[in-house]
């Protein structure tokens, strides 16, 4: 089979996550109790035998680099291939890129240096467990210029970056941008496969013409002008899209569903992350925990319901946390009440505090704050 290289966009959609990405990339946003969002796409690539991956950065990528480290957890600390951090001012640019096409322009040196025939491109807001080798085989069989990986839309979403209508063989009939999904349509999950040389040509051509939006200025425009043929690969397993703060909270809580958790975390295709040695979580005599994800190193003396706790969280006696996310190193004081909230890292919630948000507009407490 033809070999693949990978490109990951670490900062695309940062603005949609508001305060959560004020000091970090969307790629390094914690998810699911012990992971970062980049862990999923990076693990998918490694499990698909992709040995060379470029991560395009923009700003606030210190936490991302700290998390990735030497990349030994993903077996990418190698002499040939491995992981490449691509900074925003690469390839002679003096300004920060605005969209994926300009981001890929900063990665031209990486793209030209690869000896693979195909490139897989991916966002990091998409949480799934996918084998890109199967997608590549489908792409080659289709004979089309580019494959867009898509899935059925989830209920409740009013707009998607790309919506596809396709024939039974996967040939795209129409592509619409930033609109609601129609009946029997498929929605893009921000992942594409394309020939490397063709991608280089497209990026150079589009950027020189002042275009920067991958889906609108290239995919839809070229398709409508009959310059490219588009293959739509229907990925039928679980896909979670952290498109905004509300879906980020919702999708974290969805991991308490054993069926969804099982489709994302497979023994045959593990999701790797930075290893941290922690003591087991301690559950006090007064603790009550129902349908939660709780990482190592926590001390639980209060009540938890439908929530996700990261490492080293302390829930004191009388405190109650419902439908919320509490990130690493945070402390929830005695007799506090937290509902529909996202508590960032190293936050202190003082005794008796009440924080109540809604599922569509959760309360967010920024990293390191005391409330």
């Amino acid at each position: 089979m033809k070999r693949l290289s990978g490109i990951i966009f670490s900062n695309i959609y940062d603005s949609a996550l508001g305060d959560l990405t004020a000091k970090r990339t969307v790629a390094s946003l914690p998810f699911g109790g012990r992971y970062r969002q980049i862990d999923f796409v990076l693990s998918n690539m490694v499990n698909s035998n992709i040995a060379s991956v470029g991560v395009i950065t923009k700003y606030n990528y210190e936490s991302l680099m700290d998390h990735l480290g030497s990349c030994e957890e993903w077996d990418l600390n190698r002499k040939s291939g491995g992981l490449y951090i691509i900074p925003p001012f690469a390839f002679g640019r003096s300004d920060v890129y605005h969209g994926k096409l300009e981001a890929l322009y900063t990665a031209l040196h990486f793209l030209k240096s690869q000896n693979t025939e195909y490139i897989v491109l991916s966002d990091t807001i998409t949480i799934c467990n996918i084998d890109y080798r199967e997608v590549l085989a489908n792409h080659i069989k289709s004979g089309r210029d580019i494959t867009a990986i898509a899935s059925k839309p989830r209920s409740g979403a009013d707009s998607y970056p790309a919506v596809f209508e396709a024939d039974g063989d996967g040939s795209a009939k129409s592509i619409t941008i930033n609109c609601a999904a129609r009946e029997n349509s498929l929605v893009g999950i921000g992942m594409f496969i394309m020939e490397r040389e063709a991608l280089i040509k497209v990026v150079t051509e589009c950027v020189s013409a002042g275009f920067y939006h991958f889906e609108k200025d290239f995919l839809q425009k070229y398709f409508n002008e009959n310059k490219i043929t588009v293959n739509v690969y229907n990925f039928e397993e679980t896909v979670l899209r952290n498109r905004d703060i509300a879906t980020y909270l919702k999708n974290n809580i969805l991991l308490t569903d054993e069926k969804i958790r099982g489709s994302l975390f497979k023994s045959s295709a593990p999701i790797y992350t930075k290893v941290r040695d922690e003591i087991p979580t301690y559950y006090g005599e007064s603790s009550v925990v129902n349908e939660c994800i709780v990482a190592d190193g926590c001390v639980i003396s209060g009540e938890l319901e439908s929530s996700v706790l990261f490492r080293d969280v302390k829930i004191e006696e009388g405190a109650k946390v419902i439908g919320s996310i509490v990130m690493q190193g945070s402390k929830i004081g005695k007799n506090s009440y937290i509902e529909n909230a996202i508590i960032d890292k190293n936050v202190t919630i003082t005794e008796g505090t009440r924080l109540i948000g809604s599922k569509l507009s959760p309360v967010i407490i920024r990293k390191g704050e005391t409330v």
Side-chain angles (χ1 to χ4, degrees):
M1 182 174 287
K2 310 297 185 181
R3 290 192 298 164
L4 277 165
S5 294
I7 286 282
I8 297 174
F9 301 101
S10 69
N11 285 94
I12 302 295
Y13 304 115
D14 275 2
S15 59
L17 275 299
D19 288 341
L20 297 177
T21 49
K23 296 182 180 180
R24 59 165 71 94
T25 68
V26 72
S28 54
L29 184 61
F31 184 82
R34 63 188 298 260
Y35 301 92
R36 304 293 182 107
Q37 293 195 154
I38 195 173
D39 293 341
F40 292 84
V41 61
L42 193 55
S43 297
N44 289 337
M45 290 184 178
V46 169
N47 292 333
S48 302
N49 292 334
I50 296 176
S52 184
V53 179
V55 178
I56 304 178
T57 60
K58 190 174 185 179
Y59 43 65
N60 290 336
Y61 50 89
E62 181 180 356
S63 63
L64 177 63
M65 296 182 70
D66 175 69
H67 176 70
L68 295 174
S70 66
C71 289
E72 62 179 324
E73 286 85 0
W74 297 270
D75 192 30
L76 289 173
N77 56 335
R78 53 182 70 192
K79 292 182 179 179
S80 177
L83 186 130
Y84 300 82
I85 300 293
I86 304 170
F89 302 109
F91 206 68
R93 291 188 65 89
S94 59
D95 57 334
V96 178
Y97 64 81
H98 297 91
K100 290 181 186 176
L101 286 173
E102 287 186 339
L104 287 168
Y105 191 79
T106 71
L108 279 181
H109 179 75
F110 171 83
L111 291 171
K112 291 177 179 179
S113 69
Q114 299 303 295
N115 59 0
T116 55
E117 291 187 56
Y118 296 91
I119 297 287
V120 57
L121 310 174
S122 181
D123 295 334
T124 53
I125 64 168
T126 302
I127 307 297
C128 66
N129 194 318
I130 186 171
D131 190 337
Y132 292 118
R133 292 170 295 188
E134 296 179 5
V135 185
L136 177 59
N138 179 272
H139 172 73
I140 294 172
K141 183 179 179 181
S142 76
R144 301 183 184 105
D145 297 314
I146 184 171
T147 288
I149 305 175
S151 68
K152 292 182 179 179
R154 295 185 68 89
S155 60
D158 56 359
S159 178
Y160 290 94
V163 178
F164 302 91
E165 289 192 16
D167 292 330
D169 65 348
S171 176
K173 296 190 297 182
S174 72
I175 302 174
T176 51
I177 304 297
N178 296 326
C179 68
R182 298 174 296 276
E183 187 177 358
N184 298 322
S185 61
L186 295 172
V187 296
I189 64 175
M191 298 179 182
F192 304 90
I193 287 183
M194 191 173 180
E195 284 189 351
R196 182 176 60 88
E197 293 292 343
L199 179 62
I200 292 171
K201 181 179 179 181
V202 162
V203 170
T204 304
E205 181 179 292
C206 287
V207 171
S208 66
F211 298 135
Y212 62 87
H213 193 290
F214 186 88
E215 286 87 350
K216 179 182 178 181
D217 295 331
F218 162 56
L219 190 67
Q220 184 189 51
K221 184 176 186 294
Y222 278 42
F223 175 79
N224 289 339
E225 294 174 354
N226 295 317
K227 292 183 178 180
I228 59 169
T229 53
V230 177
N231 180 51
V232 183
Y233 179 88
N234 182 10
F235 181 65
E236 298 181 344
E237 297 189 42
T238 297
V239 176
L240 304 179
R241 300 173 181 84
N242 295 330
R243 298 177 293 109
D244 50 34
I245 291 171
T247 55
Y248 172 75
L249 175 62
K250 177 184 177 181
N251 290 335
N252 267 276
I253 306 303
L254 278 175
L255 292 184
T256 61
D257 185 319
E258 185 176 350
K259 183 177 179 181
I260 290 177
R261 195 165 64 248
S263 66
L264 292 175
F265 301 99
K266 304 176 181 179
S267 57
S268 59
I271 303 300
Y272 306 101
T273 190
K274 184 176 181 179
V275 175
R276 296 180 186 271
D277 295 326
E278 299 283 354
I279 61 174
T281 288
Y282 171 78
Y283 296 90
E285 291 183 4
S286 60
S287 65
V288 178
V289 180
N290 293 314
E291 297 185 351
C292 294
I293 301 290
V294 181
D296 296 336
C298 297
V299 177
I300 312 299
S301 299
E303 296 183 35
L304 300 175
E305 182 179 328
S306 300
S307 295
V308 175
L309 268 62
F310 287 76
R311 299 179 177 94
D312 297 324
V313 169
K314 187 174 184 180
I315 309 294
E316 295 192 339
E317 191 172 346
K320 190 167 186 178
V321 179
I322 301 174
S324 298
I325 299 169
V326 186
M327 296 189 192
Q328 181 178 331
S330 291
K331 175 184 175 182
I332 310 298
K334 291 182 179 181
N335 301 317
S336 297
Y337 183 86
I338 312 296
E339 184 174 359
N340 297 325
I342 301 174
I343 310 299
D344 212 325
K345 295 176 64 175
N346 302 319
V347 166
T348 299
I349 304 297
T350 56
E351 183 175 345
T353 299
R354 291 178 63 84
L355 296 174
I356 303 175
S358 70
K359 292 181 179 180
L360 295 179
S361 183
V363 174
I364 298 176
I365 306 301
R366 292 187 179 187
K367 181 179 179 180
E369 289 190 349
T370 298
V371 178

